[in-house]
Amino acid sequence: MTNHSTFDLYSDLPPLPQYQTSLLPSLVPGIPDKLLTVIAPISAYWTLSMFFHWIDTKDYFPQYRLHTPAEVSSRNKVSRWEVVRDVVVQQLIQTVVAWGLGMTEPDDLTGKEEYDVAVWARRLRIAQRAIPGTFAMAGFDAAGLAKNLAPSHPVLAGILNGGYYSNLQTVSADYGNPKSKPDFTAWELALAGALYWYLVPALQYGIAIIVVDTWQYFLHRAMHMNKWMYTTFHSRHHRLYVPYAYGALYNHPFEGFLLDTLGASIAYKLAGMNTRQGMWFFTASTFKTVDDHCGYALPWDPLQRLTSNNAGYHDVHHQSWGIKTNFSQPFFTFWDRLLGTVWTGGDVSARYEKARLAAQKKADQSNQKITITHSNVADSATQDLRPYQDDKKNATDLPLIPSCDQEPLPPKGKAELQAAGSRQQILDDKQDGGPQVLIQEAIEEKEARSLLRREGRRRTASSLSQTEGLKGLKDRVTGSMHGRAGVLIGMESNR
């Protein structure tokens, strides 16, 4: 086989095609993509929010509600009008930032795609240059193997020979003089196309997701761990003890800008996305945020099936006993799990039981326990207590609250510390928290438990034996609330 100089390794490459660019046509005719990037997330927010509001007002799927309409009225500390007003304010800020961000981006062009694919094909060709040396270090003669394979497998022979395909040539005109040059193989162009059209964008979206999840986790956690930041900014969002869809972006304007708008913008920039990719990313993030606050554990909701960071998981964070846990938003829960801030008490609340039973029936998996909060009660006794090891000791106001007003009861261990720290944070919030929040939640919890007890009596022995989730229902809802993990939905309204 032919020996090649070091210079040939990078000079003897297939030529790149010429190209001519033009402006990429708008995705929606008449609406520039940069404007659509501003409009689409806001449209997505209200479209999905109104869908959940519609099924809520029509009382569809009450069996999958995380909370009853009565709880929305009695436990939340802000009116729906105030929620809408503050969401609109945040979306105005979001619009200004998105428009400014768009002005920093060049217009998306088309016409260069074939050239870009060829660049990736060249990189694959250059990577092949390392194959003979790699084989030599392992004691194999790549050139000899290539010579033997050349008659029957010329492409494989070319790969083993370092990407030199002797029978694959193209004619290229250099300064008007035709000249024979190497050409790309079909497999190089196919793989380069897959890299360019699919793998690189997937990697960009993955980077953006990791960045926004990291940004939101650490800022969100800081706002709960720092008393001043919580009471000044973040407590406004937690006036919604019972979240609903269009309250997802109900925040202090500064927090909304810092946590959501700025975080997503930084993720977009670091991932190197173009305008249209950014539009899909911002819109998907909006859909996910709304779904996480929707108040329903719908077993057929794809957004709640793809990741454990869903409406049930985030609902725990809005309860007085879990407010200092489950900080991860909006996509995945890896930071909570890595740093030990995931709720460990299981589906502790009785109001979650009905949703669990409905989801279990829908799944029809008697051998698999359904949990909406994605929490295993056994973790409370086995997990490292950090970062909650001092929370019970520091909950100086909590002993003043009667135990009957601290419902539901968390299991012993880490969950007990998490609940103590969370309830102390509620007591620290003099404006929107205080003892009355704990008292009201305890009342609702007892009512949910009473309803489940009555429903349990009406069930026949045969129906109880059909599903593992129904086994021991009476014991679970009338005894200690740290038994089997349940799902999230309370009692039906007007029943």
Side-chain angles (χ1 to χ4, degrees), residues 19 39 45 57 66 108 119 130 169 199 203 216 288 316 354 365 372 383 400 442 460 484:
Y19 64 89
I39 296 172
Y45 186 92
T57 55
L66 305 184
D108 287 346
V119 168
Q169 300 289 317
L199 185 61
L203 183 62
Q216 291 213 10
K288 186 66 173 60
V316 169
K354 192 170 185 181
Q365 295 175 325
I372 298 299
Q383 282 197 6
L400 303 177
T460 64
R484 298 288 183 183

Side-chain angles (χ1 to χ4, degrees), residues 320 398 400-409 423 435-443 446:
S320 67
L398 193 59
L400 303 177
I401 306 298
S403 58
C404 61
D405 292 330
Q406 297 184 43
E407 294 282 351
L409 296 175
R423 284 169 170 151
Q436 189 57 40
V437 171
L438 303 186
I439 294 170
Q440 182 61 44
E441 186 168 24
I443 292 172
K446 291 167 185 173

Side-chain angles (χ1 to χ4, degrees), residues 2-156:
T2 305
N3 292 324
H4 300 278
S5 67
T6 303
F7 176 76
D8 288 337
L9 297 181
Y10 300 101
S11 63
D12 193 15
L13 294 170
L16 297 174
Q18 295 182 343
Y19 64 89
Q20 184 174 359
T21 61
S22 59
L23 286 176
L24 181 69
S26 299
L27 185 64
V28 177
I31 304 178
D33 280 356
K34 289 183 179 180
L35 179 59
L36 192 60
T37 301
V38 177
I39 296 172
I42 297 175
S43 299
Y45 186 92
W46 290 109
T47 299
L48 188 58
S49 292
M50 289 304 100
F51 166 75
F52 282 113
H53 183 66
W54 175 68
I55 66 173
D56 201 33
T57 55
K58 296 295 184 180
D59 200 30
Y60 296 138
F61 314 119
Q63 69 272 31
Y64 298 118
R65 279 198 184 107
L66 305 184
H67 300 276
T68 66
E71 287 183 80
V72 175
S73 301
S74 64
R75 294 182 58 209
N76 286 342
K77 306 301 178 183
V78 60
S79 70
R80 291 181 181 267
W81 156 245
E82 291 173 299
V83 169
V84 171
R85 179 199 64 195
D86 284 13
V87 168
V88 170
V89 168
Q90 175 159 340
Q91 289 179 333
L92 288 174
I93 296 171
Q94 176 182 309
T95 298
V96 172
V97 172
W99 187 256
L101 194 66
M103 293 300 98
T104 68
E105 293 294 313
D107 292 328
D108 287 346
L109 302 175
T110 187
K112 194 184 174 186
E113 293 81 4
E114 184 182 354
Y115 174 88
D116 290 333
V117 170
V119 168
W120 277 102
R122 262 196 174 189
R123 291 167 179 164
L124 292 173
R125 180 66 62 88
I126 292 170
Q128 294 171 65
R129 300 292 196 249
I131 291 177
T134 303
F135 269 61
M137 287 189 293
F140 295 100
D141 180 11
L145 288 172
K147 184 177 180 180
N148 294 332
L149 289 170
S152 58
H153 299 86
V155 173
L156 182 56

Side-chain angles (χ1 to χ4, degrees), residues 106-345:
D107 292 328
D108 287 346
L109 302 175
T110 187
K112 194 184 174 186
E113 293 81 4
E114 184 182 354
Y115 174 88
D116 290 333
V117 170
V119 168
W120 277 102
R122 262 196 174 189
R123 291 167 179 164
L124 292 173
R125 180 66 62 88
I126 292 170
Q128 294 171 65
R129 300 292 196 249
I131 291 177
T134 303
F135 269 61
M137 287 189 293
F140 295 100
D141 180 11
L145 288 172
K147 184 177 180 180
N148 294 332
L149 289 170
S152 58
H153 299 86
V155 173
L156 182 56
I159 294 172
L160 291 171
N161 200 35
Y164 292 99
Y165 302 87
S166 58
N167 61 340
L168 197 63
Q169 300 289 317
T170 186
V171 177
S172 175
D174 286 345
Y175 303 103
N177 299 316
K179 185 178 180 182
S180 179
K181 289 192 174 183
D183 200 2
F184 292 113
T185 64
W187 78 265
E188 287 173 322
L189 291 174
L191 181 54
L195 289 168
Y196 177 76
W197 290 110
Y198 302 106
L199 185 61
V200 172
L203 183 62
Q204 288 176 297
Y205 283 115
I207 290 171
I209 286 171
I210 291 172
V211 170
V212 78
D213 270 4
T214 301
W215 179 272
Q216 291 213 10
Y217 174 84
F218 285 100
L219 272 177
H220 188 192
R221 178 174 171 176
M223 288 187 176
H224 278 278
M225 297 306 177
N226 184 285
K227 184 177 178 179
W228 178 82
M229 291 180 69
Y230 179 80
T231 56
T232 305
F233 302 115
H234 193 53
S235 63
R236 179 180 297 199
H237 182 68
H238 282 280
R239 292 173 184 172
L240 291 175
Y241 289 95
V242 181
Y244 45 82
Y246 62 85
L249 291 183
Y250 172 67
N251 295 306
H252 187 285
F254 176 74
E255 179 196 345
F257 165 75
L258 184 66
L259 195 66
D260 297 309
T261 306
L262 183 59
S265 300
I266 291 173
Y268 163 74
K269 282 292 191 181
L270 289 180
M273 293 179 172
N274 59 33
T275 299
R276 193 166 289 181
Q277 286 176 310
M279 177 187 66
W280 292 117
F281 175 66
F282 297 142
T283 302
S285 299
T286 300
F287 266 123
K288 186 66 173 60
T289 300
V290 171
D291 194 79
D292 288 347
H293 290 82
C294 70
Y296 283 83
L298 299 174
W300 56 81
D301 184 343
L303 292 177
Q304 299 195 25
R305 305 287 288 183
L306 290 173
T307 168
S308 59
N309 195 345
N310 54 26
Y313 185 88
H314 191 64
D315 189 77
V316 169
H317 178 72
H318 276 263
Q319 305 313 304
S320 67
W321 40 268
I323 202 169
K324 290 184 73 174
T325 67
N326 291 14
F327 300 121
S328 292
Q329 279 280 283
F331 293 105
F332 297 100
T333 64
F334 56 87
W335 283 119
D336 270 328
R337 299 191 184 281
L338 282 172
L339 299 180
T341 53
V342 66
W343 168 251
T344 60

